[in-house]
Amino acid sequence: MQLYLPIAEVSVNLILLLGVGTIVGILSGMFGVGGGFLITPLLFFMGIPPAVAVATGANQIVASSVSGVMAHLKRRTVDLKMGTVLLAGGLVGSALGVWLFNYLKEQGQVDLLVRLAYVIFLGIIGGLMFFESLRALRRSKSGARPKRRAHVWVHGLPFKMRFRASGLYISAIPPLLVGASVGVLAAIMGVGGGFIMVPAMIYLLGMPTKVVVGTSLFQIIFVTGFTTVLHATTTRTVDIVLALALILGGVVGAQIGATLGSRLKAEQLRILLASLVLAVCFKLALDLLLTPDELFVIEQTS
């Protein structure tokens, strides 16, 4: 069954869209990521224009993240205080990101920027996560106790706050900066930023893995929601028909993912996420290097 998308101006298979939404929802519930790092490239592969894929992908992330965070709230694995600090930085970053997105759109460079940003960020984050997760798996198999986390420069910063759910007493500056960085990425790449936020929360802020997933989803809801509103009112690239189809699958998938994630060890979750990130990065890099099917595209500008 073909579904016509009025803003994207293409027809796509409805069953395929529902399946993509469900898969991304499962990832959201399992890993604490909005799933934008996967859904936006998948929309590229289906022929959706990058500008529409970015804005509409952010819309779908809101729904799947709400569904996922509800499941984690029941398990009390959400640090609301940490999530609020991350959110404060995220709102500022998303406003800056939308401004930058609009500027590049006017220059006609936004499509290339989005694809290159995905390849660079996914490659770096995926590689770091993969090798660290392998080391963690080896330690767990050998029975060696993990090294105690050393105090680094982050712990010496001022404006310290106590985050009881995470068992932390650290400066509010690093969470604000992490949130702002994720906000910029949400606007430019159409992602919730979970694929960067989750590693940053674990390795930079030192949060326990059990509360990282739910806290990440909590912050993602508001940042991607704010980003969607900004895109809808400024760039007008949000396709509501596409968003609704993706949301239907995403909400169901997030509940399934939260259940699956609770049955896996932290090291297994991280290595699965890293493998997925690297696979998407490889596919996008390959598409940039290969000769496109259409060498020329005619675009009408106002």
Side-chain angles (χ1 to χ4, degrees):
M1 177 181 175
Q2 294 296 111
L3 180 68
Y4 179 72
L5 308 176
I7 303 299
E9 298 182 336
V10 295
S11 294
V12 293
N13 188 285
L14 177 58
I15 303 301
L16 182 61
L17 277 181
L18 292 173
V20 168
T22 302
I23 291 171
V24 171
I26 291 173
L27 295 175
S28 174
M30 283 183 69
F31 302 122
V33 299
F37 75 93
L38 179 64
I39 199 167
T40 308
L42 286 176
L43 293 177
F44 293 166
F45 304 153
M46 293 167 64
I48 308 297
V52 177
V54 166
T56 309
N59 195 325
Q60 189 272 348
I61 291 166
V62 177
S64 59
S65 297
V66 168
S67 180
V69 85
M70 292 297 289
H72 285 281
L73 280 171
K74 292 178 182 177
R75 299 186 180 95
R76 297 183 180 180
T77 53
V78 180
D79 188 332
L80 294 176
K81 189 174 181 179
M82 176 65 79
T84 303
V85 175
L86 291 166
L87 173 60
L91 294 179
V92 175
S94 60
L96 176 63
V98 169
W99 174 84
L100 181 60
F101 186 92
N102 284 332
Y103 173 76
L104 292 168
K105 192 169 183 284
E106 292 172 359
Q107 304 302 313
Q109 300 297 321
V110 70
D111 289 4
L112 179 61
L113 171 77
V114 169
R115 292 176 187 270
L116 282 175
Y118 265 97
V119 172
I120 293 169
F121 278 104
L122 294 182
I124 294 172
I125 298 298
L128 290 174
M129 285 185 67
F130 187 81
F131 288 113
E132 194 283 333
S133 299
L134 280 180
R135 286 197 296 269
L137 280 174
R138 290 196 193 101
R139 284 198 302 266
S140 63
K141 288 181 179 179
S142 63
R145 298 181 64 180
K147 294 181 180 179
R148 189 175 182 179
R149 187 177 298 274
H151 280 258
V152 293
W153 62 271
V154 170
H155 298 91
L157 295 174
F159 308 110
K160 289 189 175 183
M161 296 178 65
R162 192 173 300 281
F163 302 96
R164 298 188 183 280
S166 299
L168 296 176
Y169 180 59
I170 60 172
S171 169
I173 295 175
L176 284 171
L177 292 178
V178 169
S181 302
V182 168
V184 173
L185 292 177
I188 295 178
M189 299 170 63
V191 299
F195 71 97
I196 288 181
M197 177 168 285
V198 170
M201 291 164 77
I202 294 172
Y203 305 122
L204 180 62
L205 304 182
M207 291 178 63
T209 304
K210 67 177 182 178
V211 299
V212 162
V213 174
T215 307
S216 173
L217 289 176
F218 171 78
Q219 187 266 359
I220 285 169
I221 291 170
F222 297 99
V223 171
T224 50
F226 182 60
T227 300
T228 300
V229 172
L230 289 179
H231 273 301
T233 55
T234 58
T235 65
R236 294 178 175 84
T237 49
V238 177
D239 193 312
I240 191 65
V241 177
L242 174 60
L244 286 173
L246 293 171
I247 286 170
L248 285 175
V251 171
V252 176
Q255 295 296 317
I256 299 172
T259 302
L260 291 175
S262 64
R263 297 177 181 177
L264 294 174
K265 294 181 179 178
E267 294 83 2
Q268 294 172 326
L269 282 173
R270 283 185 288 199
I271 202 165
L272 283 172
L273 178 58
S275 301
L276 186 61
V277 168
L278 289 173
V280 174
C281 174
F282 177 76
K283 173 63 171 131
L284 284 172
L286 195 62
D287 286 349
L288 283 174
L289 295 173
L290 294 177
T291 304
D293 295 331
E294 297 180 5
L295 295 177
F296 302 98
V297 177
I298 299 173
E299 182 177 349
Q300 183 178 356
T301 57
S302 55

